[in-house]
Amino acid sequence: MQFWNYLIVRLLQAIVVVFVVVSIVFFVARLVGNPESFLLPYEATDAEIETIRDRLGLNDTLIVQYGDFLWDLVNLDFGTSYRGAGTSTIAAIGERAVNTLKLTVAGMVFAVGLSIPLGITAALRRGKVTDWIARFLAVFGQATPSFWLGLMVIFFFAVELGWFPTGGAEGFRSLILPALSLGLLEMAAIMRLTRSGMIDVMGSDFITTARAKGLRESTVVTRHALRHALLPVVTILGLGLGRLIAGAVIIEVVFAWPGIGRLIIDSIVQSDYPMVQTAIIVLAASIALANALVDVSYRLIDPRIRAGAI
Amino acid sequence: MTERAAAPVEVDFSEPRRPIRWRRWLGLSVPLAIALVFVLAGALADVLAPHDPSFVNLGARLSPPVFDSGTWEHPLGTDDVGRDILSRLMHGARLSLIVVGIVVPGSALFGTLVGMTSGWLGGVTGQVLMRIVDIQLALPGILFALLLGSIFGPSLRNVIVILLVWTWSGYARLVRAEVLSLRERDFTTASRALGAGGWWIMRKHLFPNVVNTVVIIMTLEVAIVIQVEAALSFLGVGVPAGTASWGRMITEGREVMIVAWWPIWLPGLALLIISLTGNLMGDWLRDRLDPRLRHLH
C-alpha cells in the first residue's frame, strides 16, 4: 500500500506546485496595463469603459478577483479570450496543444531514439570512431543555441536544398526540422548520461559474474547492464520533457509552428491575459504532472527503491 | 660471491619521463585563451572596437568580411544597415559579460544560501524551500521571461532579473543534497557536541565542502546564461532593439540570411564558441574538483 500512498502524496505535491504557479501567473499578469483598451474603440466614452471593466471584474479588489479566478479554475472555467469574440481560451489552447505535443514528442523520440543506441555503442567501443562521433555530437549539441541551429537548418535544408518546408505544420515533413532542432540538446544530455552509465556498469562485479556464468555478451548488455545504466536516464527524461516544452516556445517561433508557445507570444503582444494565463497554467500543469509520473515510475523500475518502499 | 654482491643494480628511481599530454594541455589552454580574448574584447570594447557599434552607414551595407572579398575597413563586414559587425560583436561580448557578471555570482550566492539553509534545517522549512525549487522547475523560465518582458518592455534589467530568478534553483538543489549528507557526518556531529551553533557549522564545516560544487555549477552556468540572454533578445523580450547583443544580431541577420551569410553566421559562431569554451572549462574543473558530478552536463 505504501506505493499508493507515495503516488497520492506525489500527486498532491504536484497540485500544490500548480496552485502556486497559478497564483504567480495571476499576480504577475495583473501588473499589465489596461486590457479594456484593446476591447474598445479609441473614441469609447468613460461610461463604456466602466461597463466593460465591470463586466471583466477589473473594478473588484485584487483579492476578490483572485478568489473568483481560483473558483473558476476549480470549476474548470478558464475564461474567454479578449480577442476573437469571446472564444474559450481552453478550447483555443486545446487546438494548439496537439501541435505542441506533436513537436515535443517528436523532439523526445528523436532525442531518445538516437541518444541511447549511440550512448551504448560509444560506451562499448570506447575510443573508437563511434565514440568519437558520439562525443563530438554531445559537445556541440550542448553548445549550439537551438534557435540559431533552427535558422541554419532552415537555410540549408529548406531554402538551399528544398527538402523540407521552411515553416508551418503541414504534414510529417514539416515536423522533421523543428523536432531535430528541439531535440538536439536533450539528445546530447541523454547520450552523455547513457554512455557514462554504461561505462560504469560494465566495469562492475555483477557484469563479470554474468559473463562468468557463460551468458552471451548481448544478454549481458541488454538484460544486466542496460537496465542499470538507464535508471538515471529515466530521471532526466522527466526534467527533459519540461525542458523540451519550454524549448518548444522558441522553436515554434523560429519555424512558425502553430503551437501553444506561439499562441502565448501572440497573446502577450495583444495583452490577452486569459489566454496567457490559461496557456501557462496548462503548460506548467503538464510539466508538474510529467515530473510526478516520472518519480513514481522510477520507484517501479528500481528494485532497490521498491523493496525499501513496499 | 663478492663480485656478485658488488654488481651494481641499476635501479632508476627517477620518475619516468611523462610524455607531454597534448590533448590535456590543449583542452585547457585553448578554452582559457578564448575566454581571455572574450573578456578583453568585451571589457575593452570602447577602446578596441574599430567603429561605433550603432553607427548606421547605408552606403556600406552588407559589405563582406575581409576573408570573403571584403576590405580591412570592416574586418568582419557590415550588417543590413551598414553597422560594423566586429564592433557589434565586441559590444555584444561586453553585454554578455555584464549579464554573466551579475547573474552568476548573484544566483550562486542566493541558491547556495537556500540550499544550505533547507538542507541544514530540514523539516518543514526544508520541505517548503524545496517545493519552491520544484515550482521553479515546473514554471519554464522562458514563459516567465515572456510574461515579464511584455509587462516591463524589453530591457537589460529584465534579462538580469529573469536570469537571477531562473538559475538559483539549480544551486539550491545540489547544495541541499550535499548538506543533507554532510550534516549526518561525524565531524558535524562532533562540532555540534562541542557547542557550535548552526551558523558556525554552516560556515566552517558545510560551506567548505560544497564550495567545489558551487564553483563547478557557476562555470557551467556561464554558457547557459549567455545563451538565454541571446535567446530572449532573439524573441524580442531581452535587450531593446538596436542594442549590440548577439541574440539581436541573429534576429537582424535572419532577415538577410538568404543574401548574406555573415550577419547571422558570425554572432551564431561567437555564441557557439563561447558556449563550448564555458562547457569545456566547466568539465575540466569538474573532473579536477569533483568527478561525482559527472551527470551535471
Side-chain angles (χ1 to χ4, degrees):
Chain A
M1 279 326 280
Q2 267 193 330
F3 174 75
W4 293 106
N5 284 344
Y6 178 73
L7 181 74
I8 290 165
V9 168
R10 195 62 192 79
L11 285 179
L12 282 179
Q13 284 179 352
I15 290 173
V16 172
V17 168
V18 172
F19 167 74
V20 177
V21 168
V22 162
S23 310
I24 293 173
V25 166
F26 174 84
F27 286 108
V28 172
R30 280 301 183 276
L31 292 173
V32 201
N34 308 314
E36 72 274 9
S37 61
F38 293 91
L39 298 169
L40 292 166
Y42 282 117
E43 63 275 13
T45 63
D46 285 353
E48 279 172 323
I49 291 175
E50 272 312 298
T51 324
I52 199 137
R53 281 189 69 92
D54 257 355
R55 212 184 72 211
L56 296 173
L58 291 171
N59 285 334
D60 297 331
T61 60
L62 207 56
I63 295 299
V64 173
Q65 286 188 43
Y66 179 55
D68 287 347
F69 176 70
L70 288 182
W71 180 244
D72 287 346
L73 282 190
V74 172
N75 291 313
L76 292 179
D77 174 8
F78 289 89
T80 51
S81 166
Y82 287 167
R83 300 253 139 196
T87 340
S88 146
T89 54
I90 195 77
I93 288 159
E95 275 171 34
R96 299 292 194 96
V98 183
N99 286 327
T100 299
L101 197 67
K102 252 192 223 166
L103 181 57
T104 315
V105 169
M108 191 54 111
V109 167
F110 166 74
V112 172
L114 207 61
S115 63
I116 291 181
L118 201 58
I120 295 169
T121 323
L124 295 180
R125 302 189 208 289
R126 263 180 102 176
K128 300 280 170 52
V129 180
T130 326
D131 194 19
W132 277 101
I133 295 173
R135 282 159 66 187
F136 182 84
L137 267 178
V139 169
F140 275 87
Q142 273 182 322
T144 312
S146 67
F147 65 99
W148 185 65
L149 179 77
L151 292 170
M152 289 293 120
V153 296
I154 289 177
F155 181 69
F156 284 113
F157 297 109
V159 177
E160 292 281 293
L161 296 171
W163 292 351
F164 303 98
T166 54
E170 299 294 322
F172 182 69
R173 266 155 46 108
S174 64
L175 183 60
I176 293 175
L177 291 184
L180 190 137
S181 317
L182 179 63
L184 188 72
L185 180 71
E186 219 46 43
M187 193 216 67
I190 301 174
M191 211 277 303
R192 275 177 86 143
L193 206 61
T194 313
R195 179 177 174 274
S196 66
M198 276 304 273
I199 288 173
D200 282 352
V201 167
M202 290 308 278
S204 60
D205 290 342
F206 76 94
I207 294 294
T208 317
T209 312
R211 282 193 184 129
K213 284 196 296 189
L215 295 181
R216 268 178 302 147
E217 189 64 17
S218 61
T219 316
V220 173
V221 169
T222 51
R223 297 291 295 275
H224 291 72
L226 202 53
R227 192 173 161 148
H228 230 75
L230 288 187
L231 276 179
V233 174
V234 176
T235 345
I236 203 183
L237 284 187
L239 291 175
L241 202 59
R243 276 197 297 265
L244 282 180
I245 294 174
V249 174
I250 295 186
I251 295 297
E252 283 174 10
V253 171
V254 172
F255 286 91
W257 184 266
I260 300 182
R262 252 181 78 88
L263 181 67
I264 292 176
I265 291 167
D266 294 346
S267 307
I268 283 174
V269 171
Q270 300 169 336
S271 293
D272 190 350
Y273 303 163
M275 194 67 97
V276 177
Q277 281 172 4
T278 318
I280 288 178
I281 292 164
V282 166
L283 287 188
S286 340
I287 294 171
L289 190 69
N291 285 338
L293 290 181
V294 166
D295 281 358
V296 170
S297 61
Y298 194 72
R299 292 218 155 195
L300 288 178
I301 296 170
D302 192 341
R304 285 166 305 184
I305 297 180
R306 194 166 55 193
I310 300 177
Chain B
M1 285 304 279
T2 44
E3 296 98 325
R4 234 205 248 167
V9 182
E10 290 280 333
V11 179
D12 186 4
F13 282 110
S14 66
E15 288 269 311
R17 194 133 62 99
R18 270 193 240 159
I20 301 174
R21 301 220 169 133
W22 283 106
R23 264 179 55 202
R24 188 185 267 183
W25 189 80
L26 282 176
L28 182 64
S29 57
V30 171
L32 270 180
I34 294 174
L36 192 69
V37 169
F38 169 70
V39 171
L40 283 180
L44 302 176
D46 280 334
V47 190
L48 292 181
H51 296 270
D52 177 349
S54 358
F55 180 69
V56 172
N57 180 3
L58 287 174
R61 67 193 298 269
L62 293 181
S63 353
V66 68
F67 47 84
D68 182 20
S69 71
T71 60
W72 280 105
E73 175 63 16
H74 298 289
L76 293 181
T78 57
D79 65 7
D80 56 327
V81 288
R83 293 173 296 194
D84 182 56
I85 288 184
L86 177 62
S87 309
R88 286 182 78 69
L89 280 178
M90 291 174 79
H91 282 267
R94 188 171 74 167
L95 186 84
S96 300
L97 272 183
I98 294 172
V99 175
V100 165
I102 298 174
V103 168
V104 171
S107 62
L109 187 71
F110 185 66
T112 309
L113 274 177
V114 171
M116 281 177 58
T117 326
S118 96
W120 177 250
L121 294 177
V124 177
T125 324
Q127 280 295 320
V128 168
L129 286 172
M130 275 307 107
R131 287 292 87 76
I132 295 178
V133 171
D134 280 357
I135 291 157
Q136 195 76 86
L137 291 171
L139 180 62
I142 192 98
L143 301 183
F144 185 59
L146 289 165
L147 214 56
L148 281 193
S150 68
I151 293 166
F152 301 110
S155 73
L156 181 59
R157 191 197 56 198
N158 262 0
V159 174
I160 290 172
V161 168
I162 289 158
L163 277 167
L164 279 173
V165 173
W166 198 349
T167 51
W168 66 270
S169 49
Y171 298 90
R173 263 161 67 97
L174 278 168
V175 167
R176 177 183 133 97
E178 300 251 317
V179 167
L180 278 179
S181 85
L182 286 171
R183 71 175 200 173
E184 303 305 331
R185 301 268 283 276
D186 290 341
F187 61 86
T188 323
T189 322
S191 184
R192 213 173 341 181
L194 287 170
W199 178 240
W200 172 270
I201 294 176
M202 275 199 207
R203 251 181 339 134
K204 292 285 174 183
H205 298 299
L206 303 185
F207 184 70
N209 276 299
V210 297
V211 70
N212 279 353
T213 310
V214 173
V215 169
I216 293 165
I217 316 177
M218 283 174 81
T219 320
L220 291 172
E221 204 77 37
V222 169
I224 296 174
V225 166
I226 292 178
Q227 284 210 6
V228 171
E229 184 270 307
L232 293 180
S233 300
F234 170 78
L235 285 177
V237 291
V239 296
T243 317
S245 136
W246 294 352
R248 289 225 68 97
M249 289 175 75
I250 291 175
T251 319
E252 289 152 8
R254 180 190 189 179
E255 310 299 326
V256 289
M257 183 166 75
I258 312 289
V259 286
W261 60 270
W262 56 94
I264 189 165
W265 266 94
L266 294 175
L269 281 179
L271 259 180
L272 176 62
I273 290 171
I274 211 65
S275 305
L276 275 177
T277 304
N279 289 347
L280 288 175
M281 285 172 70
D283 285 354
W284 183 85
L285 264 182
R286 185 198 51 208
D287 292 343
R288 268 294 157 103
L289 299 178
D290 196 349
R292 285 173 305 140
L293 291 176
R294 200 172 39 197
H295 62 275
L296 263 189
H297 234 256

